[in-house]
Amino acid sequence: MSYFLVAAIFAALAFAFSRKIIPTIGNFVFGLIISYLFMPTLAWGYFGTNFFFAAGLLGALCAAMYRMTSFSQTDRAAEERAGKQAMYFGIGSATVAVLAIIVIPIFTTWSAFTADTRRSLLEVTEETTFDPSKMLFDQTQARYVDEFLATRRMNELCGEHTGLCSQTDFGRPRIQNQNGKMYWVAPLQHEGITKWWTNRTVPGYAMVSVTDYSDAKLVLKHNQSIGLDGFQLGDYLPRFLYENGYANASFADFTYELDDNGFPHWVSAKIARKAGFGGDVVVSVVIVNPVTREIKEYAIADAPKWVERIQPEGLIENRISDWGAFPHGWMDSFSGRDVLAVTPGSALVYTVDGRAVWYTGIQSSGGNAEATMGFMLTDSRTGKAVFYKRAGITENAAQRALEGMVQDQKWTASPPVPYMVFGVPTFISIMKDQAGNRAAIGMISYDNREVKAVGERNDLDSVLRAYKFALQSKGTKVDLKEGVDEIVLEGTVTLITRETGKDGTVINFMIDSQPNKGFEVLSNVSSEIRFTKEGHRVRVRVNSAAPAVLDVSSFDNLDIQLYEGTIPKTPN
């Protein structure tokens, strides 16, 4: 219906200035075609809509020119009148088009007039301290499988089902918390228009764990008739919404998400513009059932709890940019006083209570491009942000530093994501070989780029050991098990071994008071550990966790007393 409404407006403009059937029909068809192809938002505040109706005026101008040329050579008076009408209409059309496309959008959107409004669109709480144990997930939920590897794994799963890969491929994977575990989730989609025409539905989706490449499955029990790439005509999600009551609405993102039962949905963020032709904010969320084709719209506060991505990444970055650019209004932004800028790229991370938040680095405008003065954590549902003032390095700097450690192997680092490792905010990155395979895992401290490590093997244990050594060598307190109490134990050493690698010497030992437990400590934790042997009495501090081998955070050999200081001179 919306297409015919737009086409009727085009036809009315053409008839008003031509009084001819042929150009009227021509402009009607022209409006019908371009409205179907481009689906202009039928609301004020969208550049595309302005250009669209400017095209309608151009079509009407062509209709007026057609009228002028339709007169015979003998009807000079009528020709002159038509020419004048066409000229006046042309001037008027051009004026309206310039006003609609250039003048009005500039003056209603220009930050000189909207700076205060733009800054106020993001609700920000400023915090001076950051407790990572209360916010970021630890390394057990870190992404050891990135988007590229997840897509590869999905294609492997697809290849195990005869005929499936010849009919479909996968959309872009997105991370989602599925019942407490993090997965990459991607919908199946038609491989092309002919496959869509033949099948009309796709049978499901794939999911791959972000921590374990082998933990993956293909779910083929949901015949979906609505999607993005590969879906045509009314099955294409944006067109489906446009044709079902949302021709006057704009959407910032379309995300494929699973509910708690693993049933798929398309989640769409409906936006409104609060600063002329800009200042997008999410006002509601529209959820489409791709199986039943049912549409439901919710206020943000009423959206189902399984919905994670209501606030799109790009929109949040724009809001943070506006918040940082105008701390004292538009005029003061040129001086750079207190102006903050967003570092390239945001990452979706999860807090310890399972909430999805956008991590965005913040740096002083015009300052060191590789340093941050804090970061923003923005709730991906509500859009409320918390700004933590904590100096560190940018994601790009972390990525380059890790790649510098393995430049001989020519490995590349995936975009790093912040997590909490040993109680320290840490960027974790996947190190890939030239074939794109995961070769190792890299870790680098957010606070100090000199504290970094790349595992000797393609596993978590090797990089954790190396990173722990790097932290302790710089004097950083290591929290070996967040949230677990530490205890002090004493005993006599019954067995001790030493293993030396590129990350230092690791000492493993056992004591008589804990015959069923082993202990592991790095040589730089205490000078006394280097001289310890069987039979020595020792005191160690460990966490009260359950593993068979416990990490030692402090070590004291009770039979050895080493003191720092100058050696006294021996009397002659």
Side-chain angles (χ1 to χ4, degrees):
M1 182 64 185
S2 302
Y3 309 128
F4 288 97
L5 175 62
V6 173
I9 295 174
F10 276 41
L13 288 172
F15 183 77
F17 291 94
S18 70
R19 299 295 193 273
K20 298 289 183 179
I21 296 299
I22 293 178
T24 299
I25 295 175
N27 219 31
F28 178 87
V29 173
F30 175 62
L32 191 64
I33 292 174
I34 64 173
S35 63
Y36 186 84
L37 292 176
F38 299 105
M39 296 180 291
T41 303
L42 302 183
W44 177 252
Y46 298 91
F47 286 100
T49 303
N50 285 11
F51 278 102
F52 181 81
F53 283 103
L57 288 174
L58 179 62
L61 177 60
C62 293
M65 298 299 294
Y66 173 84
R67 178 188 179 190
M68 182 180 69
T69 58
S70 65
F71 292 103
S72 65
Q73 293 294 324
T74 57
D75 194 353
R76 295 293 181 183
E79 183 180 356
E80 289 179 1
R81 289 195 301 273
K84 289 180 179 180
Q85 290 177 354
M87 180 183 67
Y88 295 149
F89 178 70
I91 295 173
S93 299
T95 302
V96 172
V98 169
L99 287 172
I101 298 174
I102 301 176
V103 178
I104 295 176
I106 286 178
F107 279 93
T108 58
T109 310
W110 190 16
S111 56
F113 304 122
T114 61
D116 291 340
T117 299
R118 288 174 178 273
R119 180 173 170 83
S120 67
L121 293 178
L122 184 68
E123 183 179 341
V124 178
T125 301
E126 295 192 30
E127 297 286 348
T128 56
T129 59
F130 174 67
D131 183 356
S133 65
K134 295 181 180 179
M135 289 301 301
L136 296 179
F137 262 162
D138 63 20
Q139 69 274 7
T140 61
Q141 291 287 355
R143 300 177 196 174
Y144 304 123
V145 178
D146 67 0
E147 183 178 333
F148 174 82
L149 293 173
T151 301
R152 175 185 288 183
R153 182 66 178 126
M154 290 174 182
N155 289 328
E156 292 172 354
L157 291 173
C158 187
E160 297 172 0
H161 292 74
T162 304
L164 184 61
C165 285
S166 64
Q167 301 292 319
T168 62
D169 56 15
F170 289 99
R172 182 182 178 185
R174 300 287 185 95
I175 285 181
Q176 183 178 343
N177 184 345
Q178 185 66 14
N179 297 321
K181 294 186 66 177
M182 302 300 148
Y183 285 92
W184 290 101
V185 179
L188 283 166
Q189 59 189 24
H190 299 288
E191 199 172 47
I193 188 171
T194 56
K195 304 299 172 60
W196 166 80
W197 183 263
T198 302
N199 301 311
R200 291 304 175 102
T201 64
V202 292
Y205 58 86
M207 52 196 305
V208 179
S209 169
V210 303
T211 61
D212 185 358
Y213 188 81
S214 63
D215 183 4
K217 62 180 178 179
L218 196 58
V219 180
L220 301 177
K221 59 181 180 181
H222 305 291
N223 291 323
Q224 303 160 81
S225 61
I226 294 176
L228 292 175
D229 294 344
F231 290 83
Q232 311 296 325
L233 302 179
D235 292 345
Y236 178 55
L237 179 59
R239 188 177 306 283
F240 175 76
L241 290 171
Y242 192 84
E243 294 175 350
N244 286 274
Y246 289 94
N248 63 342
S250 181
F251 296 93
D253 196 17
F254 300 99
T255 305
Y256 191 80
E257 295 195 37
L258 308 180
D259 62 22
D260 294 335
N261 297 317
F263 193 92
H265 304 267
W266 282 105
V267 178
S268 311
K270 183 180 175 183
I271 65 169
R273 295 194 159 164
K274 302 296 186 179
F277 283 58
D280 294 351
V281 295
V282 178
V283 293
S284 64
V285 58
V286 177
I287 300 177
V288 178
N289 185 319
V291 177
T292 66
R293 303 172 76 92
E294 181 184 12
I295 301 174
K296 290 184 178 181
E297 184 173 355
Y298 298 90
I300 293 176
D302 299 330
K305 292 183 178 180
W306 54 264
V307 177
E308 292 183 346
R309 294 197 185 196
I310 295 178
Q311 307 291 333
E313 176 183 0
L315 184 147
I316 289 299
E317 287 184 350
N318 289 337
R319 297 287 66 78
I320 296 175
S321 294
D322 287 342
W323 175 84
F326 307 112
H328 306 295
W330 179 74
M331 286 295 294
D332 245 13
S333 66
F334 292 99
S335 68
R337 182 167 65 98
D338 298 331
V339 173
L340 304 178
V342 174
T343 61
S346 294
L348 188 71
V349 299
Y350 289 82
T351 61
V352 291
D353 58 0
R355 290 186 301 112
V357 295
W358 289 109
Y359 167 91
T360 308
I362 305 295
Q363 59 187 184
S364 297
S365 179
N368 186 347
E370 294 192 344
T372 65
M373 51 90 63
F375 54 88
M376 196 88 77
L377 294 182
T378 308
D379 193 297
S380 65
R381 279 180 60 97
T382 66
K384 295 181 180 180
V386 181
F387 177 41
Y388 295 97
K389 294 181 179 180
R390 180 167 180 155
I393 62 174
T394 66
E395 301 89 318
N396 287 344
Q399 191 171 6
R400 286 194 294 271
L402 290 174
E403 289 177 343
M405 296 185 68
V406 292
Q407 57 185 343
D408 292 341
Q409 293 96 323
K410 297 182 179 179
W411 293 350
T412 58
S414 66
V417 179
Y419 290 93
M420 179 180 64
V421 182
F422 299 132
V424 177
T426 301
F427 284 116
I428 297 180
S429 183
I430 300 170
M431 312 304 295
K432 296 182 181 179
D433 60 22
Q434 293 180 341
N437 300 309
R438 192 180 80 179
I441 298 169
M443 296 183 178
I444 181 169
S445 170
Y446 170 85
D447 301 312
N448 184 355
R449 73 180 67 204
E450 298 302 319
V451 179
K452 56 185 181 290
V454 173
E456 293 182 347
R457 303 178 301 276
N458 184 12
D459 61 25
L460 181 59
D461 289 340
S462 67
V463 69
L464 285 175
R465 176 178 291 183
Y467 187 61
K468 179 171 66 175
F469 181 85
L471 286 169
Q472 292 177 332
S473 66
K474 296 294 183 181
T476 303
K477 176 175 169 42
V478 174
D479 187 354
L480 297 174
K481 187 69 176 178
E482 296 85 355
V484 177
D485 294 334
E486 287 191 323
I487 57 175
V488 176
L489 300 173
E490 290 188 13
T492 300
V493 175
T494 59
L495 178 66
I496 186 167
T497 64
R498 290 171 172 83
E499 177 184 349
T500 302
K502 72 174 185 179
D503 301 314
T505 301
V506 179
I507 296 93
N508 289 277
F509 61 94
M510 300 181 71
I511 58 178
D512 59 355
S513 62
Q514 298 290 328
N516 298 319
K517 291 288 186 181
F519 301 86
E520 181 179 271
V521 61
L522 294 173
S523 59
N524 62 342
V525 170
S526 168
S527 299
E528 295 175 352
I529 188 64
R530 304 172 189 175
F531 306 99
T532 300
K533 61 183 181 179
E534 285 89 348
H536 283 181
R537 292 279 299 171
V538 298
R539 180 186 294 122
V540 297
R541 181 181 296 276
V542 298
N543 62 67
S544 58
V549 179
L550 298 173
D551 287 306
V552 175
S553 59
S554 70
F555 179 93
D556 183 18
N557 189 320
L558 302 178
D559 293 335
I560 297 176
Q561 299 296 325
L562 297 178
Y563 298 97
E564 293 184 357
T566 304
I567 299 176
K569 293 182 179 181
T570 303
N572 293 330

